[in-house]
Amino acid sequence: LQRVLPAFIAGMVVLSAVQCVTVQREVSKVQPQTAAEETEETEDYSGILPMSRNGKNVVVFMLDRAISGYIPYIFQEKPEIKEAFSDFTYYPNTLSFSHTTNMAAPALYGGYEYTPEEIDKRPDESLKDKNDEALSVLPVLFWQNGYTVTVCEPPYAGYQNIPDLSIYDEYDSISAYSLAGKFSQDADEETRTRQTQERNFVFYSLFKTVPVVLQETVYGGGEYMSLSDSNTEYALYTRHSTVLDNLTYMTEIVGTDGGEEENTFLILKNNTTHSPAMLSYPDYQTSGDFTEQYKHPERFTLPDGEHMNMDTDDQLKHYCVNVAALERLAVWIGYLKEEGVYDNTRIIFVADHGRKLGNFDRLLLDNGVDAESYNPLLLVKDFNAKSFTVSDEFMTNADTPAIAVAGLFDDPVNPFTGKTISSDAKHTTPLAITTSSNFQINKNNGNQFDTSDGEWYIVKDNIFDSANWERTTAR
């Protein structure tokens, strides 16, 4: 062992060095912005999100990794948030097809034709092309029907971590934006973000070098064995939360009462709920400390006695950013009401996936799966809705396109495949989810998903019942 260990360590050092060189070579391909380009990029974003006063507005808001089960507890703790969402339907029994964005988001954007299983049934096409197609289904469909269309942060567009907005270039009136970090450009935040990126380049090299069995530990949910630098976490969080702070600033009310009808469609992704950070209690507005959060455990038990486990720092940080996101969205909803563009707006708040956090005992299944990973947020307000309801209907986030287009078009079909956009597959086809953790698009980017590190399950009817999760063979 004394002879083998030094050799092993030396090998790891060499491999890490090679990976560092590889990463640096790839990074160097990304051209830095010139001062002029930087100035142009940070110009005024006011009014980029049009909302019609006299037509119909459809909004799909994808909150990455938003935790569905937190909703009752957030509403209990924050009655003002509950009031803002008083016309929504909450669907707690909602399933995602993966716990990673690269495999889960396509179905949210494009419907049941883009679940991991269905994507893999098209082996002659690249994952990049199929992902871009999924991201384009709703924008192009609404564009074809005369809607003013806006897209923000389409995940992995062009199969790039920074979305390639040129995938919409051929559609002359589809506006696309990347907003992350556009409202948090203070010097300290920029410095911390750059330091985090530089650090992560090194740790990503280590991550790529260690055996697969250790990769999840090294990755650490994106923190790469971080010592939980709260300043860095908070800086990353504000890159996304400040976008939500500026929703009213970015929204422009168009048209007049009785004027010519103008319809709008907005699909926007935001990572506030994907950026866990400890926030101040009870306002959740600034960076906070764990001590104050742990002093108030009563808010994690509902009047009927149902309890949410909130024993770890990671659980608390995820809860904090979910509260903060809903607080900001509640402000925007209030603004829509004040401006008279609420009743004529259909709003869908939905997540691509959840997170393995152990918050809910009833989601810890007999098969060892923490179904919290596959339980995304789904909150829907239809046109002129006037009451809050909780529906136990079995839903998936692939229902999002069908909900978005319901009743608007005579024959809503996928512009790229010609197939009808509907939720029928949920009732006629076994739904297969993958537990694979191969989320890296620079690695898992062939024509079919590499899910060799995970398992597959057929899930039906009720995600809270272990009997409804049937393990199956690789798809």
Side-chain angles (χ1 to χ4, degrees):
L1 181 61
Q2 290 179 340
R3 294 180 179 178
V4 172
L5 187 58
F8 174 77
I9 294 174
M12 292 287 288
V13 170
V14 171
L15 287 172
S16 293
V18 170
Q19 290 291 345
C20 279
V21 172
T22 301
V23 170
Q24 182 59 41
R25 184 169 60 245
E26 292 300 314
V27 170
S28 67
K29 296 178 183 178
V30 181
Q31 296 298 319
Q33 290 179 315
T34 65
E37 290 172 332
E38 208 167 80
T39 301
E40 181 179 349
E41 186 64 22
T42 55
E43 284 185 351
D44 191 2
Y45 284 88
S46 65
I48 65 169
L49 310 179
M51 300 286 286
S52 174
R53 194 184 304 278
N54 50 41
K56 288 184 170 64
N57 305 297
V58 178
V59 176
V60 176
F61 219 118
M62 196 272 254
L63 294 165
D64 201 317
R65 200 199 286 177
I67 305 298
S68 174
Y70 289 168
I71 293 299
Y73 298 89
I74 294 174
F75 283 2
Q76 172 180 262
E77 181 179 350
K78 296 284 187 177
E80 65 275 20
I81 296 179
K82 181 179 180 180
E83 176 59 28
F85 285 84
S86 61
D87 303 318
F88 282 74
T89 297
Y90 168 47
Y91 296 94
N93 185 25
T94 299
L95 178 75
S96 66
F97 293 86
S98 169
H99 67 97
T100 67
T101 300
N102 64 324
M103 299 186 208
L108 185 160
Y109 277 77
Y112 286 94
E113 292 184 70
Y114 301 95
T115 66
E117 181 178 25
E118 292 301 313
I119 282 178
D120 283 351
K121 288 180 180 178
R122 296 163 59 178
D124 297 329
E125 304 167 64
S126 69
L127 291 174
K128 169 189 171 296
D129 288 345
K130 288 178 281 192
N131 186 72
D132 289 350
E133 182 179 295
L135 296 177
S136 302
V137 169
L138 288 177
V140 173
L141 177 60
F142 278 93
W143 171 76
Q144 288 175 336
N145 284 273
Y147 280 62
T148 299
V149 175
T150 308
V151 182
C152 299
E153 309 291 352
Y156 298 134
Y159 246 37
Q160 301 294 318
N161 286 299
I162 299 175
D164 178 6
L165 304 180
S166 69
I167 70 170
Y168 303 108
D169 279 355
E170 63 183 283
Y171 310 104
D172 54 8
S173 59
I174 294 180
S175 301
Y177 303 93
S178 287
L179 300 174
K182 301 306 183 186
F183 301 97
S184 61
Q185 298 297 321
D186 63 90
D188 289 342
E189 189 271 341
E190 283 293 305
T191 299
R192 289 193 294 264
T193 299
R194 185 175 65 253
Q195 291 172 341
T196 300
Q197 291 172 336
E198 291 171 351
R199 173 187 179 278
N200 285 355
F201 285 148
V202 176
F203 271 82
Y204 180 75
S205 303
L206 175 62
F207 164 79
K208 292 281 286 182
T209 303
V210 300
V212 173
V213 69
L214 298 178
Q215 286 186 354
E216 185 172 354
T217 300
V218 173
Y219 177 65
E223 296 181 8
Y224 290 107
M225 303 175 71
S226 167
L227 295 178
S228 295
D229 182 340
S230 59
N231 288 332
T232 299
E233 286 183 343
Y234 185 71
L236 295 176
Y237 157 78
T238 58
R239 283 180 56 80
H240 308 288
S241 65
T242 49
V243 174
L244 302 186
D245 285 328
N246 284 275
L247 281 175
T248 56
Y249 168 75
M250 291 186 289
T251 302
E252 179 184 13
I253 309 303
V254 298
T256 59
D257 290 331
E260 184 179 351
E261 183 175 288
E262 182 175 356
N263 302 315
T264 75
F265 173 69
L266 165 65
I267 185 164
L268 186 154
K269 171 185 177 285
N270 183 266
N271 268 27
T272 298
T273 47
H274 195 283
S275 307
M278 187 55 59
L279 303 180
S280 57
Y281 179 83
D283 60 357
Y284 300 92
Q285 292 297 312
T286 60
S287 183
D289 63 77
F290 292 100
T291 303
E292 195 63 29
Q293 290 281 357
Y294 280 119
K295 284 182 181 177
H296 308 276
E298 68 282 350
R299 66 196 198 278
F300 303 129
T301 300
L302 298 177
D304 63 2
E306 187 173 345
H307 177 73
M308 175 171 61
N309 302 321
M310 199 59 70
D311 308 311
T312 70
D313 295 348
D314 201 30
Q315 290 171 337
L316 272 172
K317 287 187 289 187
H318 276 83
Y319 180 76
C320 282
V321 297
N322 275 261
V323 176
L326 291 184
E327 280 187 325
R328 287 158 170 81
L329 293 172
V331 171
W332 185 61
I333 290 171
Y335 168 77
L336 298 183
K337 292 177 179 178
E338 291 174 1
E339 293 295 327
V341 294
Y342 178 74
D343 288 338
N344 62 319
T345 299
R346 173 181 286 163
I347 306 174
I348 304 167
F349 293 118
V350 60
D352 50 347
H353 55 80
R355 182 72 166 175
K356 180 182 179 181
L357 293 168
N359 283 121
F360 308 102
D361 290 341
R362 67 174 182 158
L363 286 173
L364 299 173
L365 306 181
D366 294 343
N367 55 24
V369 171
D370 183 352
E372 188 175 1
S373 291
Y374 310 94
N375 183 207
L377 174 69
L378 182 58
L379 280 164
V380 179
K381 185 202 79 73
D382 209 349
F383 302 115
N384 298 304
K386 291 301 178 185
S387 63
F388 178 80
T389 58
V390 178
S391 172
D392 292 326
E393 180 182 356
F394 177 53
M395 303 290 285
T396 82
N397 53 9
D399 290 320
T400 301
I403 297 171
V405 303
L408 297 180
F409 313 129
D410 291 336
D411 186 21
V413 299
N414 183 329
F416 304 98
T417 67
K419 295 181 179 179
T420 300
I421 294 176
S422 77
S423 296
D424 290 349
K426 180 174 62 179
H427 307 291
T428 61
T429 307
L431 302 182
I433 70 109
T434 175
T435 66
S436 171
S437 295
N438 280 344
F439 60 88
Q440 311 97 327
I441 59 170
N442 66 318
K443 173 183 175 183
N444 199 352
N445 59 9
N447 287 7
Q448 295 176 301
F449 290 120
D450 177 5
T451 59
S452 57
D453 66 318
E455 299 174 335
W456 286 84
Y457 287 88
I458 299 295
V459 186
K460 60 182 181 181
D461 299 336
N462 181 358
I463 68 168
F464 302 100
D465 186 348
S466 296
N468 289 334
W469 293 65
E470 179 185 351
R471 188 174 176 180
T472 186
T473 56
R475 313 303 287 177

